[in-house]
Amino acid sequence: MNYAILGLGLLMTAPAFAEPQITNVPASQLDWQTTPEGVAFAALDGNRFETSYMAMVRLPAGLISPPHVKTANMYGIVVEGMMTHAPHQSTETATVLGTGAFYKVPKDLAHVSSCVSEIPCVAFLYQDGQFDFLPVTQP
């Protein structure tokens, strides 16, 4: 048996593998989905309700979240506006973050997120697990 010919035949009949593709999404083509609270998400990669994900998030100007926790770490970069993310008992000393600033909110840390600018706040988000928003009671 000529194994070289057999191998060549397998190569010729094997399904073609897709070439890696670059994903480009202009800002004007982001698919924003707005929650009843007015927070909008534009999915970039992954399904935020099932697994880790990347998304753009837009908070209305002046929004202050109730204290809450997440069961996965959340990482963000501010793209527009001015935001704060602070432990829920320390919001008065929160650091104001503007364009280009990075933040990490550790899982299980009760915190408050706010858009403190007069324009909506937009950030790139990565969460290393599925999205959740678990309100905590105020002490």
Side-chain angles (χ1 to χ4, degrees):
M1 175 175 243
N2 188 333
Y3 291 104
I5 293 174
L6 177 62
L8 182 58
L10 289 174
L11 285 175
M12 294 175 67
T13 60
F17 292 100
E19 288 292 318
Q21 299 292 314
I22 294 174
T23 300
N24 293 305
V25 182
S28 63
Q29 294 178 15
L30 291 173
D31 182 19
W32 291 98
Q33 304 294 316
T34 304
T35 69
E37 298 78 22
V39 176
F41 289 88
L44 299 173
D45 190 54
N47 180 328
R48 69 185 170 106
F49 296 110
E50 295 177 7
T51 185
S52 61
Y53 68 95
M54 287 185 275
M56 300 300 291
V57 64
R58 183 174 56 220
L59 306 177
L63 177 103
I64 301 171
S65 76
H68 63 285
V69 297
K70 297 183 175 299
T71 57
N73 297 303
M74 183 174 67
Y75 305 84
I77 297 174
V78 179
V79 175
E80 186 173 276
M82 300 182 73
M83 307 176 81
T84 64
H85 302 279
H88 87 290
Q89 296 176 338
S90 303
T91 57
E92 62 280 346
T93 59
T95 300
V96 176
L97 303 171
T99 301
F102 168 80
Y103 60 90
K104 174 187 177 188
V105 179
K107 67 180 181 176
D108 302 323
L109 175 67
H111 66 282
V112 172
S113 296
S114 303
C115 177
V116 298
S117 57
E118 294 180 7
I119 62 170
C121 294
V122 177
F124 167 80
L125 283 184
Y126 168 71
Q127 198 163 358
D128 61 8
Q130 73 183 44
F131 174 85
D132 54 11
F133 185 100
L134 308 171
V136 297
T137 57
Q138 302 261 352

